[in-house]
Amino acid sequence: MTTLDLSEFVRGEIAVGRDKADIRTKLLSADWTETEVERALSKWQADADAGAVPRPLRSMAARDAIFYLTLFTALGVLIGTIIPIGFLLVEYWLPESYDRPNRVRMSDVRWLISTLIVFAPVFWVLDTFDAKGLRTDAMRKHLSVRRWLSGIALFAAAMTFMVDAIWVIHAYLDGQMTPRFLLKSGLVAALASYVFLYFLRDRFSPSSIIVRFVGKIIAVFAALLVTLALYVVGGPTIGQQEQRDRARLSDLGTLSWDVHNCRKLRGKPLPEDVNLLGCVANPARLTAFASEITYYRVSDQTFKLCVDLERPETARVGRGKLDGKTLCRSTDRK
């Protein structure tokens, strides 16, 4: 029986003079929830002449849809952020011999940290409200929008399980089964399992510990990952150092090109000293760190520009050669 059938049943019972208390007792014994029964009864008013008179009932479907869309989106963003940040941390602590230098981009990690910091508390608050609602109103688990979104999430989790299994089998056959790979695969499987547990919690008693605390697990795990990631990438001071290094590298590339094409030096052997800013084609492209760059003559047609970096271990040096904290880039005018 649908809610429409329930409403028609209540109308018929009221029309023949049944007392609302008796109707409520019958419906509750038939496993309708208290909220569904009250909503159906509130649609009709008994009248001595007309029998059952319909009453206006305002729908809360839009509010429920917005709430559950926000809740499930927050969960999806959390899981979608935990996977890459978990992968980056595993790669950082379990490097492989074939890894490239500077494989972990700190700016990418900071984006992931920022996302977790915002969405973890949002999900915590919404899930707490939903869990409380499930304990006080059993009808919430029967809402259409909630059931549809739960079904989509469970389908996505099932597909993730299968793709993860394919990934593991391929890695085994391809000789890539390493501890680092197993940790990554295990993280994906654990998150897919969590989605199953979260969206199947309706099968448990509303007052059970699973319903009350399963939503908190992912938020606590996200907080742990944020702590570990901040330990790896450092705080804003480290970020400021990396920003300054990026400006130095940009200036180094600009000056290397401008000196290479400098009209004042064209057709002449390179001098021992060059006014770098005098060769700049577009000074607006440079930052204040351009003054830190030093020119060195290597031969009549070769020069190099050098600059000291604050965090050379995270810098993208490109064609440059790093010696300690000093990065030099050689350019041949031939």
Side-chain angles (χ1 to χ4, degrees):
M1 181 183 289
T2 65
T3 53
L4 181 60
D5 297 328
L6 173 63
S7 178
E8 287 301 311
F9 172 80
V10 171
R11 184 194 66 80
E13 291 293 290
I14 292 177
V16 298
R18 295 279 194 275
D19 186 73
K20 284 191 174 184
D22 294 336
I23 300 173
R24 180 184 292 104
T25 301
K26 291 178 181 179
L27 292 175
L28 291 176
S29 65
D31 286 338
W32 288 95
T33 67
E34 184 74 32
T35 303
E36 290 170 321
V37 172
E38 290 301 326
R39 184 169 296 179
L41 289 172
S42 65
K43 289 182 179 180
W44 304 98
Q45 177 177 306
D47 184 86
D49 297 324
V53 179
R55 299 181 62 189
L57 185 65
R58 277 70 182 181
S59 174
M60 307 299 290
R63 185 197 67 178
D64 293 334
I66 292 173
F67 174 81
Y68 281 110
L69 278 171
T70 306
L71 172 63
F72 293 168
T73 298
L75 177 60
V77 171
L78 277 183
I79 292 176
T81 306
I82 285 173
I83 290 177
I85 200 171
F87 281 12
L88 288 171
L89 291 176
V90 169
E91 291 174 2
Y92 180 82
W93 276 305
L94 290 177
E96 299 285 357
S97 58
Y98 49 79
D99 282 338
R100 295 177 180 177
N102 302 322
R103 63 192 180 282
V104 179
R105 295 189 61 185
M106 299 306 171
S107 59
D108 292 343
V109 178
R110 292 190 181 99
W111 271 113
L112 297 171
I113 292 173
S114 302
T115 303
L116 289 180
I117 290 175
V118 171
F119 276 92
V122 169
F123 176 74
W124 180 294
V125 172
L126 294 178
D127 176 76
T128 300
F129 183 85
D130 186 47
K132 181 179 179 181
L134 287 173
R135 293 195 299 272
T136 57
D137 183 4
M139 198 197 96
R140 290 179 68 89
K141 65 182 180 182
H142 299 300
L143 292 173
S144 296
V145 63
R146 191 177 195 279
R147 293 168 69 98
W148 268 103
L149 292 174
S150 298
I152 293 172
L154 290 171
F155 172 77
M159 292 298 102
T160 301
F161 260 126
M162 287 187 277
V163 171
D164 193 42
I166 293 172
W167 194 22
V168 170
I169 294 171
H170 173 268
Y172 173 74
L173 296 176
D174 203 39
Q176 301 181 44
M177 193 68 76
T178 63
R180 188 168 86 175
F181 175 86
L182 289 175
L183 277 176
K184 289 183 177 181
S185 177
L187 175 63
V188 173
L191 290 173
S193 301
Y194 174 81
V195 171
F196 272 106
L197 178 62
Y198 184 81
F199 288 104
L200 293 178
R201 60 179 175 166
D202 293 346
R203 298 177 179 269
F204 300 92
S205 168
S207 60
S208 68
I209 191 171
I210 292 179
V211 175
R212 294 171 66 92
F213 296 108
V214 68
K216 310 300 185 293
I217 296 174
I218 197 75
V220 171
F221 186 62
L224 175 62
L225 282 183
V226 167
T227 303
L228 294 175
L230 284 174
Y231 173 79
V232 171
V233 304
T237 301
I238 301 300
Q240 291 169 2
Q241 293 175 348
E242 293 173 359
Q243 292 281 2
R244 291 193 290 267
D245 281 347
R246 280 193 282 272
R248 292 182 178 101
L249 291 174
S250 174
D251 289 345
L252 185 66
T254 299
L255 287 174
S256 294
W257 176 259
D258 287 346
V259 173
H260 178 272
N261 296 282
C262 187
R263 288 186 300 174
K264 298 178 181 179
L265 304 178
R266 195 171 297 167
K268 305 176 183 178
L270 286 169
E272 292 294 332
D273 188 29
V274 170
N275 179 15
L276 296 179
L277 298 182
C279 290
V280 176
N282 185 3
R285 296 172 57 192
L286 296 175
T287 72
F289 297 102
S291 59
E292 299 180 7
I293 297 175
T294 306
Y295 164 88
Y296 295 96
R297 180 183 183 277
V298 178
S299 68
D300 287 347
Q301 298 298 324
T302 305
F303 68 92
K304 67 179 180 179
L305 300 181
C306 299
V307 66
D308 290 336
L309 303 178
E310 295 180 68
R311 292 191 60 80
E313 64 274 14
T314 59
R316 299 192 132 196
V317 299
R319 296 184 295 105
K321 184 177 180 181
L322 195 61
D323 182 11
K325 288 191 172 185
T326 302
L327 176 69
C328 294
R329 179 176 295 179
S330 296
T331 303
D332 195 333
R333 295 198 303 171
K334 294 180 182 178

